[in-house]
Amino acid sequence: MLKHPTPRKAIEFAVETEAMGKLFYEELADKFAMDTKIRDVFASMAKEEEIHERQFKAMLEGAL
């Protein structure tokens, strides 16, 4: 985690975390592809993580 967080470091960390989460959920969606309900849940979660990543990146480009 962050020992000496600044707003910029915290948001950069959030970007990385969301990117890792997206990858994680995509891998789970692939792993459970044979069960469409489970696959769809994980695929949806991956898309949400992607949205969050873009939002944090926009914060970095904008205000900070």
Side-chain angles (χ1 to χ4, degrees), residues 8-61:
R8 181 168 195 83
K9 285 181 182 178
I11 295 170
E12 287 171 347
F13 181 77
V15 169
E16 292 175 22
T17 302
E18 298 297 335
M20 288 187 299
K22 178 181 176 256
L23 249 163
F24 175 71
Y25 291 127
E26 287 173 339
E27 289 174 5
L28 288 174
D30 288 343
K31 181 177 176 96
F32 296 106
M34 66 288 203
D35 186 324
T36 57
K37 287 182 182 179
I38 294 174
R39 180 201 64 210
D40 290 350
V41 167
F42 287 127
S44 176
M45 292 172 77
K47 288 177 186 174
E48 289 293 320
E49 297 296 296
E50 184 176 8
I51 291 167
H52 300 156
E53 181 183 0
R54 278 187 270 139
Q55 290 170 328
F56 283 121
K57 283 181 177 179
M59 289 174 71
L60 283 175
E61 293 170 5

